[in-house]
Amino acid sequence: MATVSVCQYHRGGFSFENCKRNALLEADINKLGFSSPAARKTGTTICGVVYKDGVVLGADTRATEGMVVADKNCSKIHYISPNVYCCGAGTAADTEMTTQIISSNLELHSLSTGRLPRVATANRMLKQMLFRYQGYIGAALVLGGVDSTGPQLYSIYPHGSTDKLPYVTMGSGSLAAMAVFEDRYRPNMEEEEAKRLVRDAIAAGIFNDLGSGSNIDLCVITKGKVDYLRPHDVDHHLIHICLNFAHGTTGVLTKAVTPLNLEVVEESVQTMDTS
Amino acid sequence: VMISARAYGDNGKMKEYHYTGPVEHKFSPYAFNGGTVLAVAGEDFALVASDTRLSEGYSIHSRDSPKCYKLTDTTVIGCSGFHGDCLTLTKIIEARLKMYKHSNNKSMTSGAIAAMLSTILYGKRFFPYYVYNIIGGLDEEGRGAVYSFDPVGSYQRDTYKAGGSASAMLQPLLDNQIGFKNMENVEQLPLTLEKAVQLVKDVFISAAERDVYTGDALKICIITKEGIREEIVPLRKD
């Protein structure tokens, strides 16, 4: 039957053979009382807006592990190509690896075509990969850039659907950010107004969504120039903690000193090729 | 090209489709509203502090909902967990305090309130109040007292205790700074009121950095023989 042969035919790409083994290992670990490491999600606010001369992308900088802040200043705006950047929400490892893979493939493609990469190409590559994995790669992306066709902005969902829009938001703080956009977005804004709008949308996510916080990163992409503003806005929370521990506060239980008696046998200098 | 193998059995044939029946979605009578409380007992004072953020899921209900409730002139209780149960429980405690005052012609002492709360909580052992309680006050001799509870009424008297969502982050720091644990060659001076208040502020600022449920503002109730004084300190709002 055709269905049987398709099921058993492995043609490159990702192999699910180890899933059964992983399930058994996980059961064994749980029996011993430990738990396997959980995938870290970025409860996030990311957004993008198309303005007169290009696109502005924005993101917060908090990464959470459950309801504990794992990273207070992580970078969520990823490089795809010199004229295309991508914000990522969802599982942190997935957004990082997916954008790196597509960035690499896009560079090779660009060398092959001899042209600057297009945003639509990056969009097509991302959606085809995410659809192939049927939503198991938890990456929700905001892709923006400027190419020969003009400034473009796409939102890409984990299952592989995309939308080409003038303004988009993603992540747990997307509703707060979208509220700001729906209130104040106008077509063909000036650069300062667009930056202010994106900054305010991310700020709405930071203050009203518990999964987002810390600083605001912006990325302004125009024809021929990229302004990667990290951080664009820092949270001015000063921490006054002064805990001074004098020497000898931590008790030393045992001390074992092993002298390593080394002597210089040979010394040579080799110049590095830095050309 | 990927195909989902869920619908196929090991022999390659499609699995039989069984209708499992209507799916029942269970209603949960509890919600988690976040918040952290902390109490410290000194030689002649007690502190009860809490943050003022009320949250649910990823949203904030209120930035100004303190979790300390004044019971008598010498006792304050901090309640965090499910806000509905916090409100009901404090209502019941206040009613019982009035009843005691009318029958016995005197206010309840901290120790008596603690013992009573334990019986109130255990009374609902099989449908508990989802509340983490910490009582702070002065005992009959004027010394600081802290009583910490679990949701079903087990309690003990402590020198310091943290409860609520960031309790696991605060408690080890308090163990080190107030209990002098894991430190040698340190002069174990008794805790002064000023140092205790500064420590409580520092500890909540740290908790607000890493716990998403803690933030907005910190309210400290300082209990001395002169009465109860309040101090409000802003925390991060993100």
Side-chain angles (χ1 to χ4, degrees):
Chain A
M1 262 205 298
T3 41
V4 176
S5 59
V6 169
C7 271
Q8 289 167 345
Y9 181 65
H10 289 296
R11 195 213 319 217
F14 200 79
S15 159
F16 287 100
E17 279 169 339
N18 283 334
C19 289
K20 204 170 178 186
R21 176 207 72 171
N22 291 345
L24 286 169
L25 278 175
E26 181 142 4
D28 284 335
I29 291 175
N30 287 335
K31 228 183 294 176
L32 290 167
F34 302 109
S35 59
S36 40
R40 207 207 287 170
K41 277 174 62 81
T42 58
T44 295
T45 310
I46 51 173
C47 66
V49 99
V50 173
Y51 73 103
K52 197 175 81 169
D53 306 320
V55 301
V56 180
L57 302 175
D60 74 306
T61 62
R62 174 184 281 183
T64 50
E65 214 157 355
M67 292 318 252
V68 176
V69 177
D71 191 346
K72 290 190 267 190
N73 197 198
C74 77
S75 170
K76 300 186 191 180
I77 306 185
H78 309 283
Y79 166 88
I80 301 280
S81 74
N83 60 326
V84 177
Y85 278 75
C86 186
C87 311
T91 310
D94 286 343
T95 57
E96 191 70 47
M97 297 314 300
T98 304
T99 47
Q100 279 178 358
I101 290 171
I102 264 65
S103 169
S104 165
N105 290 342
L106 202 60
E107 187 171 343
L108 292 169
H109 184 260
S110 152
L111 287 165
S112 166
T113 59
R115 293 176 170 83
L116 196 65
R118 295 190 181 189
V119 189
T121 317
N123 177 55
R124 193 59 83 93
M125 288 177 166
L126 284 164
K127 68 155 43 177
Q128 284 178 349
M129 178 179 172
L130 292 173
F131 182 76
R132 194 156 25 105
Y133 285 93
Q134 289 291 294
Y136 282 101
I137 294 186
L141 310 167
V142 166
L143 177 75
V146 181
D147 58 28
S148 52
T149 326
Q152 281 152 84
L153 186 65
Y154 294 87
S155 63
I156 307 171
Y157 293 84
H159 283 266
S161 63
T162 65
D163 294 305
K164 181 171 181 296
L165 292 164
Y167 56 98
V168 291
T169 65
M170 297 287 251
S172 58
S174 62
L175 271 66
M178 186 52 92
V180 175
F181 276 170
E182 289 290 10
D183 185 31
R184 286 158 46 186
Y185 172 80
R186 308 180 292 109
N188 295 109
M189 285 182 284
E190 293 297 327
E191 180 170 317
E192 278 316 305
E193 193 190 345
K195 278 164 71 173
R196 212 173 20 244
L197 181 62
V198 170
R199 185 237 156 253
D200 288 345
I202 300 291
I206 286 175
F207 291 113
N208 299 103
D209 174 43
L210 296 177
S212 314
S214 297
N215 312 322
I216 301 175
D217 288 350
L218 283 190
C219 186
V220 185
I221 311 173
T222 49
K223 188 170 157 67
K225 187 165 82 95
V226 171
D227 263 332
Y228 193 85
L229 305 161
R230 175 178 158 79
H232 175 258
D233 243 313
V234 195
D235 65 302
H236 298 285
H237 294 98
L238 301 161
I239 306 172
H240 303 287
I241 324 286
C242 261
L243 290 176
N244 294 315
F245 296 97
H247 276 287
T249 302
T250 304
V252 179
L253 298 174
T254 51
K255 194 160 130 175
V257 179
T258 314
L260 297 169
N261 296 315
L262 305 168
E263 44 180 87
V264 180
V265 174
E266 195 200 306
E267 199 177 306
S268 65
V269 175
Q270 194 173 55
T271 49
M272 218 165 67
D273 183 15
T274 51
S275 56
Chain B
V1 171
M2 292 273 128
I3 269 194
S4 168
R6 246 193 320 229
Y8 296 88
D10 285 324
N11 59 355
K13 294 213 171 83
M14 271 188 94
K15 282 192 210 161
E16 288 281 301
Y17 177 69
H18 296 290
Y19 172 56
T20 44
V23 180
E24 217 173 281
H25 300 281
K26 213 161 151 30
F27 163 73
S28 169
Y30 295 116
F32 181 64
N33 296 115
T36 308
V37 284
L38 164 54
V40 177
E43 184 59 45
D44 58 352
F45 66 91
L47 300 178
V48 180
S50 78
D51 71 327
T52 61
R53 173 178 282 177
L54 196 71
S55 31
E56 190 166 347
Y58 276 108
S59 310
I60 299 179
H61 281 313
S62 168
R63 294 194 196 270
D64 188 18
S65 174
K67 290 150 196 73
C68 318
Y69 301 89
K70 178 168 156 315
L71 298 179
T72 67
D73 284 329
T74 54
T75 318
V76 174
I77 188 170
C79 310
S80 72
F82 170 41
H83 193 61
D85 278 348
C86 294
L87 293 175
T88 303
L89 186 61
T90 47
K91 231 178 240 183
I92 289 177
I93 296 172
E94 274 158 19
R96 291 288 298 267
L97 283 173
K98 261 188 212 158
M99 286 154 63
Y100 181 97
K101 194 162 190 179
H102 292 152
S103 333
N104 301 93
N105 208 22
K106 69 180 180 105
S107 301
M108 278 187 94
T109 59
S110 296
I113 297 176
M116 178 184 75
L117 179 56
S118 172
T119 59
I120 294 174
L121 292 171
Y122 199 80
K124 273 173 63 72
R125 168 67 179 83
F126 299 111
F127 181 12
Y129 288 110
Y130 180 3
V131 186
Y132 293 92
N133 294 292
I134 306 184
I135 292 179
L138 302 176
D139 66 9
E140 280 142 310
E141 284 142 33
R143 280 198 274 272
V146 165
Y147 297 92
S148 61
F149 295 76
D150 79 350
V152 281
S154 160
Y155 81 108
Q156 64 177 34
R157 184 168 171 174
D158 289 309
T159 319
Y160 54 88
K161 188 80 169 135
S165 60
S167 59
M169 294 184 201
L170 303 186
Q171 192 67 31
L173 186 51
L174 299 174
D175 286 337
N176 177 260
Q177 290 296 301
I178 306 180
F180 302 107
K181 300 278 166 66
N182 297 105
M183 292 211 289
E184 286 173 24
N185 308 320
V186 183
E187 210 185 336
Q188 304 208 350
L189 298 160
L191 197 63
T192 61
L193 178 60
E194 290 74 32
K195 270 190 76 186
V197 171
Q198 189 53 48
L199 183 64
V200 166
K201 288 178 187 169
D202 288 344
V203 132
F204 264 91
I205 289 171
S206 304
E209 290 285 311
R210 292 288 176 174
D211 180 32
V212 303
Y213 288 120
T214 304
D216 292 328
L218 163 65
K219 182 163 156 183
I220 312 180
C221 298
I222 302 163
I223 309 157
T224 50
K225 63 178 194 296
E226 273 86 48
I228 302 181
R229 195 180 86 228
E230 281 173 13
E231 233 185 275
I232 299 186
V233 173
L235 295 174
R236 12 181 353 141
K237 295 174 171 36
D238 63 359

